[in-house]
Amino acid sequence: MAKLNQTFFLILSICYFLSPALTAATAASRAGASNKAVNFIQSSCKTTTYPAVCFHSLSAYANAIQTSPKRLAETALAVTLSRAQSTKLFVSRLTRFKGLKKREVEAIKDCVEEINDTIDRLTKSVQEMKLCGSAKNQEQFAFHMSNAQTWTSAALTDENTCSDGFSGRVTDGRIKNSVRARIVNVGHETSNALSLINAFAKKMAGSFSFNHHFLASLLITITITTLKSVHTTTTNTEFVKSSCTFTTYPRLCVTSLSTQSSLIQTSHKLIAHAALNITLASAKATSAMMVRLSSSSRLKPREVSAMRDCVEELGDTLEELRKSIGEMGQLSGSNYEVYMSDIQTWVSAALTDENTCSDGFEGDDMNGKVKVLVRGRILVIAHLTSNALALINHFASIHG
Ligand SMILES: *[C@@H]1O[C@H](CO)[C@@H](O)[C@H](O)[C@H]1NC(C)=O
Ligand SMILES: *[C@@H]1O[C@H](CO)[C@@H](O)[C@H](O)[C@H]1NC(C)=O
């Protein structure tokens, strides 16, 4: 009985001494977790282009983010989307100003429409990030991830165009500054979100690649033991086919790249490089064709001017593709991050220019045959560019 009492006392004492210690420990771990989260956000933001903006807008969500790169990227996207929405509201209210010129109202409307496109693209990116979360294997993950990257980079380019539109008279003084500041801010938030998405993609590629490499080496072992020789050409063609499943236009992808399969071998980098080369060659040929067509005497003045605009925009596309190909050829371990993000930005910029170009050929008074011809060629370039971007994003996502 005495022994039992002693034991009871011992337990009581332990409880007594432990309880304040326990409370303190819990408090410390709570504060520690929060500190850890804040530090995580700070160090992740350092890798973005606008670290101060990044930390300022994301540190408020430290408790929800903790140290998850996925939640960090998702929160960055959500914050960007909500900024874009409030900017749209702000800019659309400007049309209520009295005494605006027609041209100024037009500029405001164009800007609202472009922010609207940005919102649309960011919304799609948010959806793709959600699908990344429920991906069952690396292929699914890489597919949704490259879509999220593509939509986010597409959202990036429109903002620049919108703030260019505000160089007219509306833009005297305070309104101009206020609109530009908001648009620039949405641009910076979008750029940061893209960096954080890319960082998350890279991290996940590492975690998937264990399984992938394990499976690959298992497969290779089985292949080697069952087959003495593997037909290399078949392997190369299969690689092009399987890589093309990540693109939006897989049939065009296979058609355009299968002739290069012996050069590409099974390299994700070379297939992205080859896709860029082919897109550039096609854009060059179309540009030359349009220069020839625009000097044809059978075209109406409006058609000639649409054609010239298109040639000018294709010139930008050519420039962006050339720069991308240049950096793709010089990609190395030390410049990888910087060059890869340049390439992704330029190729997405090339993508949107082509859309504007084919928009110029809308309208019923345009010559049927010329319109169909030009739109067809532009569409092929746009599809080739979209495929090249998907292959670049895929290469970036598995680069570890
Ligand atoms: C914005 O986009 C949505 C859907 O994409 C569309 O329904 C709406 O009409 C657009 N609004 C403006 C002002 O362009
Ligand atoms: C792409 O084009 C460059 C220059 O024309 C060439 O050196 C390179 O081998 C090509 N690469 C691929 C993968 O097609």
Side-chain angles (χ1 to χ4, degrees), residues 42 44 106 122 141 163 173 182 218 224 247 269 313:
Q42 195 157 31
S44 304
E106 287 304 309
L122 289 171
F141 180 84
S163 63
R182 276 159 202 259
L218 193 70
I224 289 172
T247 65
K269 185 186 170 195
E313 273 168 37

PDB file of all heavy atoms in Angstrom, residues 42 44 106 122 141 163 173 182 218 224 247 269 313:
ATOM      1  N   GLN A  42      10.363  33.646 -46.641  1.00  0.00           N
ATOM      2  CA  GLN A  42      11.421  34.615 -46.938  1.00  0.00           C
ATOM      3  C   GLN A  42      12.484  34.021 -47.873  1.00  0.00           C
ATOM      4  O   GLN A  42      12.860  34.652 -48.856  1.00  0.00           O
ATOM      5  CB  GLN A  42      12.064  35.069 -45.641  1.00  0.00           C
ATOM      6  CG  GLN A  42      12.916  36.314 -45.803  1.00  0.00           C
ATOM      7  CD  GLN A  42      13.071  37.039 -44.474  1.00  0.00           C
ATOM      8  OE1 GLN A  42      13.077  36.387 -43.414  1.00  0.00           O
ATOM      9  NE2 GLN A  42      13.162  38.347 -44.516  1.00  0.00           N
ATOM     10  N   SER A  44      12.198  31.404 -49.836  1.00  0.00           N
ATOM     11  CA  SER A  44      11.632  31.072 -51.157  1.00  0.00           C
ATOM     12  C   SER A  44      11.479  32.337 -51.992  1.00  0.00           C
ATOM     13  O   SER A  44      11.703  32.322 -53.201  1.00  0.00           O
ATOM     14  CB  SER A  44      10.267  30.411 -51.015  1.00  0.00           C
ATOM     15  OG  SER A  44      10.350  29.287 -50.194  1.00  0.00           O
ATOM     16  N   GLU A 106     -12.062  54.105 -75.105  1.00  0.00           N
ATOM     17  CA  GLU A 106     -11.616  52.900 -75.815  1.00  0.00           C
ATOM     18  C   GLU A 106     -10.394  52.284 -75.128  1.00  0.00           C
ATOM     19  O   GLU A 106     -10.312  51.066 -74.950  1.00  0.00           O
ATOM     20  CB  GLU A 106     -11.257  53.227 -77.282  1.00  0.00           C
ATOM     21  CG  GLU A 106     -12.458  53.502 -78.180  1.00  0.00           C
ATOM     22  CD  GLU A 106     -13.455  52.353 -78.191  1.00  0.00           C
ATOM     23  OE1 GLU A 106     -13.015  51.208 -78.422  1.00  0.00           O
ATOM     24  OE2 GLU A 106     -14.655  52.579 -77.956  1.00  0.00           O
ATOM     25  N   LEU A 122      -5.247  33.171 -65.309  1.00  0.00           N
ATOM     26  CA  LEU A 122      -4.853  32.844 -63.937  1.00  0.00           C
ATOM     27  C   LEU A 122      -5.823  31.832 -63.335  1.00  0.00           C
ATOM     28  O   LEU A 122      -5.413  30.919 -62.615  1.00  0.00           O
ATOM     29  CB  LEU A 122      -4.796  34.114 -63.075  1.00  0.00           C
ATOM     30  CG  LEU A 122      -3.648  35.082 -63.375  1.00  0.00           C
ATOM     31  CD1 LEU A 122      -3.839  36.387 -62.615  1.00  0.00           C
ATOM     32  CD2 LEU A 122      -2.301  34.464 -63.018  1.00  0.00           C
ATOM     33  N   PHE A 141       1.167  14.584 -63.509  1.00  0.00           N
ATOM     34  CA  PHE A 141       1.662  15.766 -62.811  1.00  0.00           C
ATOM     35  C   PHE A 141       2.324  16.720 -63.808  1.00  0.00           C
ATOM     36  O   PHE A 141       2.027  17.910 -63.841  1.00  0.00           O
ATOM     37  CB  PHE A 141       2.661  15.379 -61.717  1.00  0.00           C
ATOM     38  CG  PHE A 141       3.204  16.568 -60.980  1.00  0.00           C
ATOM     39  CD1 PHE A 141       2.497  17.132 -59.922  1.00  0.00           C
ATOM     40  CD2 PHE A 141       4.403  17.159 -61.366  1.00  0.00           C
ATOM     41  CE1 PHE A 141       2.989  18.242 -59.253  1.00  0.00           C
ATOM     42  CE2 PHE A 141       4.893  18.275 -60.706  1.00  0.00           C
ATOM     43  CZ  PHE A 141       4.181  18.815 -59.643  1.00  0.00           C
ATOM     44  N   SER A 163      -0.653  48.322 -70.000  1.00  0.00           N
ATOM     45  CA  SER A 163      -0.111  49.582 -69.503  1.00  0.00           C
ATOM     46  C   SER A 163       0.452  50.434 -70.649  1.00  0.00           C
ATOM     47  O   SER A 163       0.489  51.656 -70.551  1.00  0.00           O
ATOM     48  CB  SER A 163       0.902  49.360 -68.383  1.00  0.00           C
ATOM     49  OG  SER A 163       2.007  48.646 -68.842  1.00  0.00           O
ATOM     50  N   GLY A 173      -1.373  62.682 -65.323  1.00  0.00           N
ATOM     51  CA  GLY A 173      -1.350  62.772 -63.872  1.00  0.00           C
ATOM     52  C   GLY A 173      -1.751  61.565 -63.075  1.00  0.00           C
ATOM     53  O   GLY A 173      -1.283  60.476 -63.327  1.00  0.00           O
ATOM     54  N   ARG A 182      -0.890  49.835 -60.477  1.00  0.00           N
ATOM     55  CA  ARG A 182      -1.631  48.597 -60.229  1.00  0.00           C
ATOM     56  C   ARG A 182      -1.298  47.516 -61.242  1.00  0.00           C
ATOM     57  O   ARG A 182      -1.107  46.353 -60.891  1.00  0.00           O
ATOM     58  CB  ARG A 182      -3.138  48.878 -60.285  1.00  0.00           C
ATOM     59  CG  ARG A 182      -3.674  49.402 -58.976  1.00  0.00           C
ATOM     60  CD  ARG A 182      -4.975  50.118 -59.197  1.00  0.00           C
ATOM     61  NE  ARG A 182      -5.230  51.030 -58.112  1.00  0.00           N
ATOM     62  CZ  ARG A 182      -6.053  50.776 -57.115  1.00  0.00           C
ATOM     63  NH1 ARG A 182      -6.712  49.633 -57.082  1.00  0.00           N
ATOM     64  NH2 ARG A 182      -6.229  51.657 -56.162  1.00  0.00           N
ATOM     65  N   LEU A 218      14.544  -0.810 -63.644  1.00  0.00           N
ATOM     66  CA  LEU A 218      13.937  -2.136 -63.612  1.00  0.00           C
ATOM     67  C   LEU A 218      13.593  -2.574 -65.033  1.00  0.00           C
ATOM     68  O   LEU A 218      13.891  -3.697 -65.455  1.00  0.00           O
ATOM     69  CB  LEU A 218      12.667  -2.091 -62.759  1.00  0.00           C
ATOM     70  CG  LEU A 218      12.077  -3.432 -62.369  1.00  0.00           C
ATOM     71  CD1 LEU A 218      12.981  -4.122 -61.360  1.00  0.00           C
ATOM     72  CD2 LEU A 218      10.684  -3.250 -61.771  1.00  0.00           C
ATOM     73  N   ILE A 224      17.100  -5.793 -71.068  1.00  0.00           N
ATOM     74  CA  ILE A 224      18.416  -6.341 -71.404  1.00  0.00           C
ATOM     75  C   ILE A 224      18.419  -7.864 -71.283  1.00  0.00           C
ATOM     76  O   ILE A 224      18.975  -8.561 -72.124  1.00  0.00           O
ATOM     77  CB  ILE A 224      19.533  -5.719 -70.528  1.00  0.00           C
ATOM     78  CG1 ILE A 224      19.746  -4.265 -70.970  1.00  0.00           C
ATOM     79  CG2 ILE A 224      20.844  -6.494 -70.653  1.00  0.00           C
ATOM     80  CD1 ILE A 224      20.664  -3.472 -70.084  1.00  0.00           C
ATOM     81  N   THR A 247       1.946  17.728 -75.331  1.00  0.00           N
ATOM     82  CA  THR A 247       1.638  18.976 -76.041  1.00  0.00           C
ATOM     83  C   THR A 247       0.140  19.071 -76.324  1.00  0.00           C
ATOM     84  O   THR A 247      -0.593  18.074 -76.212  1.00  0.00           O
ATOM     85  CB  THR A 247       2.413  19.042 -77.373  1.00  0.00           C
ATOM     86  OG1 THR A 247       1.929  17.997 -78.227  1.00  0.00           O
ATOM     87  CG2 THR A 247       3.900  18.877 -77.158  1.00  0.00           C
ATOM     88  N   LYS A 269      15.954  17.795 -73.611  1.00  0.00           N
ATOM     89  CA  LYS A 269      16.471  19.111 -73.982  1.00  0.00           C
ATOM     90  C   LYS A 269      16.494  19.258 -75.503  1.00  0.00           C
ATOM     91  O   LYS A 269      16.058  20.265 -76.053  1.00  0.00           O
ATOM     92  CB  LYS A 269      17.876  19.281 -73.406  1.00  0.00           C
ATOM     93  CG  LYS A 269      18.420  20.663 -73.660  1.00  0.00           C
ATOM     94  CD  LYS A 269      19.857  20.782 -73.211  1.00  0.00           C
ATOM     95  CE  LYS A 269      20.428  22.085 -73.717  1.00  0.00           C
ATOM     96  NZ  LYS A 269      21.875  22.125 -73.634  1.00  0.00           N
ATOM     97  N   GLU A 313       4.551  41.798 -86.634  1.00  0.00           N
ATOM     98  CA  GLU A 313       4.422  40.990 -85.422  1.00  0.00           C
ATOM     99  C   GLU A 313       5.181  39.668 -85.526  1.00  0.00           C
ATOM    100  O   GLU A 313       5.758  39.207 -84.555  1.00  0.00           O
ATOM    101  CB  GLU A 313       2.951  40.741 -85.107  1.00  0.00           C
ATOM    102  CG  GLU A 313       2.400  41.887 -84.281  1.00  0.00           C
ATOM    103  CD  GLU A 313       0.904  41.856 -84.178  1.00  0.00           C
ATOM    104  OE1 GLU A 313       0.349  40.740 -84.082  1.00  0.00           O
ATOM    105  OE2 GLU A 313       0.288  42.927 -84.215  1.00  0.00           O
TER     106      GLU A 313
END
